[in-house]
Amino acid sequence: MQTGIIKLKNAPSIVSFAAIGGKKEAEGPLGHQFDYIDENDRFGEDTWEKSEAQMQKIALTTALNKKDFASSDIDALFAGDLMNQCTSSAYGLLGFDVPFFGLYGACSTAVEGLILASLLIETGHFSRTAVVSSSHYYASERQFRY
């Protein structure tokens, strides 16, 4: 058995994606690359935690819509954020009615999700998965300050 290296027989592919941001992201050098920008960072919500949940919902909806996919086309959803028990992910993605794998890898959450999703596709357990990762500055900052 080889250790440390996982080699897939079938290369996974990313067929759709979305990037969602706030005012600061829009002001940065990649601001024009975002699919959706919320100018007040609230995403229509009254708390930062709900705002982050809405960010995830908008991101997944946007990625699905780009390829005319429905949530029923997704076999599993890997998602994470920096809140206790992946609160923003769990609540933001609840309405998609897709099996949910909550990830807490901080900065590695997106890559962790991609690795896990590709392994489960490779083994034939799933055909199509989604990976969502977020970090809302105001929600995370409060989480780690208190």
Side-chain angles (χ1 to χ4, degrees):
M1 180 173 148
Q2 194 173 15
T3 60
I5 298 173
I6 298 171
K7 192 169 184 177
L8 303 177
K9 292 178 185 170
N10 302 301
S13 60
I14 297 172
V15 297
S16 188
F17 64 91
I20 309 304
K23 183 178 180 185
K24 284 290 187 193
E25 289 80 16
E27 294 170 355
L30 301 176
H32 65 285
Q33 302 270 343
F34 285 83
D35 293 290
Y36 178 84
I37 294 288
D38 187 90
E39 287 299 321
N40 67 11
D41 300 324
R42 288 287 188 170
F43 297 88
E45 299 296 338
D46 60 352
T47 69
W48 299 121
E49 293 78 12
K50 288 179 183 177
S51 299
E52 186 167 10
Q54 187 65 13
M55 284 173 62
Q56 288 212 358
K57 182 178 181 179
I58 293 168
L60 182 55
T61 299
T62 302
L64 291 172
N65 288 341
K66 283 182 175 183
K67 290 293 183 179
D68 291 324
F69 290 148
S71 60
S72 59
D73 294 321
I74 305 298
D75 297 322
L77 179 54
F78 298 84
D81 57 74
L82 296 177
M83 299 295 102
N84 291 334
Q85 292 85 35
C86 295
T87 304
S88 296
S89 302
Y91 285 105
L93 303 171
L94 182 64
F96 289 95
D97 197 30
V98 174
F100 174 78
F101 293 83
L103 306 175
Y104 188 89
C107 295
S108 66
T109 299
V111 173
E112 180 184 5
L114 290 169
I115 290 169
L116 293 170
S118 65
L119 289 172
L120 288 165
I121 289 172
E122 174 76 9
T123 60
H125 289 86
F126 300 131
S127 296
R128 186 175 289 133
T129 61
V131 177
V132 182
S133 178
S134 68
S135 177
H136 192 294
Y137 172 78
Y138 294 107
S140 298
E141 190 271 337
R142 183 168 53 200
Q143 168 79 21
F144 291 101
R145 183 187 320 167
Y146 301 115

